[in-house]
Amino acid sequence: MKTFLCSLLLLCSVLHIQAEDGHQLWLRNKKALPVTVNCALNSPTIAIAKQELIQGWLGKAGATISLVIKKDKALKKDGFRLLNNAIEANTEFGLLYGVYELLRKQQTGQLIQEMVSNPSYDIRTLNHWDNLNGTIERGYAGFSIFWRRDNPYEVTENDKKRWQEYARANASIGINGAVLNNVNASPNILNADYLKRVKAIAEVLRPYGVKAYLSINFSSPKVIGGLPTSDPLDPAVINWWKEKAKEIYGLIPDFGGFLVKANSEGQPGPQDFGRTHADGANMLADAVQPFGGIIMWRAFVYSPNDKDRAKQAYNEFVPLDGKFKDNIIIQVKNGPIDFMPREPFSPLIGAMKRTPVMTEFQITQEYLGHSKHLVFLSTMWEECLQSDTYQEGPGSTVARCTDGTVFNQKYTAIAGVSNVGLDTNWCGHDFAQSNWYAFGRLAWNNSITSEAIADEWIKQTFAGNSDQPSKTVHGIDWTENVLVPVKRMMLDSREAAVNYMMPYGFHHIMSANEHYGPGPWWGPARMRADWTPPYYHQADSNGVGFNRTKMGSDAVSQYKEPLASMFNDPSTCPETLLLWFHHLPWTYKMKSGRTLWDDICTKYDQGVKQVRVFQKIWDGAAPYIDSARHKAIQRKLRTQTANAVLWKDACILYFQTFSRMPIPMDVEKPIHNLDEIIANDMVRRRPGS
Ligand code: GCW
């Protein structure tokens, strides 16, 4: 042990690698060079901007930079202009974003030229599914940074420090809003004691340009207000919300507004009173309107009775198009079902032409391996944002339908379900930080590539912890052994996860409740069918897949031509979405010339092989990465590989009970038995509970 420690110390001193615990995210300490910063203004935000420049400056030593507020028509909202010796913006937050951009460019070795940068969306929010008792729904990085069970109202210096670090990280990537509590909202969030805490949080976030928002429970007037009803058309209810809004804005003048999950998965909503989503949303919109607040109303709705869950949000919301007040934005998950590893884009996007729509992405990896799997989600979001809806002719991409380019809308917005918790490294997995980072970067600029995002993130997160030129971001060694292969790994990682979990348009075949491992067999007798995997994969001896063609559920018709016809025909439907739209025979001939069955097996196998390659890449990067983070990630990659093998074995063996076809010779043979996998899974999940 002693010799081991000595050699470790020696190695570290040779390579100048310092211990790191991931807490600093992509904002690691730098050996800054001297710089002078001028600004005519003085404010907490400007003080932060100055301090960031002074502690992070890697440009010319002794340079002078001026921060200038200047009306400039080329700049929208919090956009900024970088000049040789100055940053200009319309607002002080614009200046702050400009500072972070300049520092990012310096740190990642990019050429610094005069440039203008405007945000794609006005509102760039994180949604925290944090419960008031400190737990986080679908959170895999510890407890909430905002709420806790014991002494729930006490605000400590530690709390404030965390919130400040959190706000800084958000500002550095352009995120300007945080919904502080779970969409499955406790009515208690609107009680005076909790609102006091919200005020304290908002005060810490404010100088960083991050506004606080809250999720509300639609029954609040009844549950905490003592009213007999929460009917949105009842005058007492209307008044209750108006008074509540006044109270909140009295405490937090720049409060952002409310996020609402209504009539979804058991949450109350206007339909409980025979009213529509528009009735409910409009009533709340009126309450916050005098203060400049907005309502983000979610379209995540589905009922057990419908034959195809994928169609429901569209069916419910499109008829309401044009009925919403202009401070309402409909928040739509990127796919029609639920954050699966791969879905087509939600057909609601672009279809609501007189109502602003925003996309909701899930940063926390509920269906993508939690904080155990390395999956860079940027490519998934890029795929969605660049999907063409054809709604207003070719080029009506999801990005352009939501950012105000295609439709004239008062507000534009985007949301990401946060993966942040109290874990030292914030996100559980060091690479999960890249998803927080990527969400912010795409929210600021929805046409930036995942390649560029990964490049920036790797350099800021792993490079520079060394005095040796070859071990830095500019060194050839570092580029060859870290930057290039790690970037490849990140860019391939989402497709790898799709391959070993749900290839060819499979969806919702994970284990119940915790949504981590495989569970295509799961379907207790009395369970709601649309909560069980067999509803989604529809495997039988004839074939597999959900028939959403015109002869099936006809979900294809919710897409605008040419997409409807393209999806409807298996020969033109992208193979990546084949089983999403089609039920096909096991012997169906794929583009490869092989059977569907053979290709399914091969994809699962390919997913496993890809993760094995990731392990090699990461092992190869060892000399360049501080050992604490290297080891932690290496360990997680081992788990991921073991898990990928389990997914592959479970799915191939389970579907084989229907196909009755042999596993192709070139596919690695299962090392698990199906009955054992199922038995273990059942023990773990206590059947019937
Ligand atoms: O994906 C599902 C999750 C729920 C979540 C819900 C939603 C917050 O399993 O945990 O609830 O979506 O988005 O409302």
Side-chain angles (χ1 to χ4, degrees), residues 129 137-138 182-184 261 264-265 298 300 333 338-339 360 362 366-367 515:
W129 287 356
E137 182 155 349
R138 312 303 176 188
N182 192 353
V183 286
N184 290 327
K261 173 175 178 178
S264 161
E265 297 186 332
R298 293 175 95 225
F300 179 63
K333 290 190 181 182
D338 193 4
F339 298 138
E360 175 180 321
Q362 195 181 40
E366 175 179 358
Y367 299 102
H515 300 169

Side-chain angles (χ1 to χ4, degrees), residues 4 35 168 228 249 266 305 402 620:
F4 169 74
V35 64
R168 176 179 179 232
Y249 280 93
N305 311 319
T402 51

Side-chain angles (χ1 to χ4, degrees), residues 92-124:
E92 54 178 3
F93 298 130
L95 289 179
L96 185 61
Y97 296 137
V99 165
Y100 285 121
E101 176 74 27
L102 180 59
L103 294 174
R104 176 163 45 241
K105 284 195 179 305
Q106 289 180 349
Q107 213 194 336
T108 57
Q110 296 177 56
L111 199 66
I112 301 173
Q113 287 166 317
E114 184 178 330
M115 67 175 283
V116 164
S117 180
N118 286 313
S120 297
Y121 301 94
D122 308 332
I123 299 164
R124 306 172 295 276

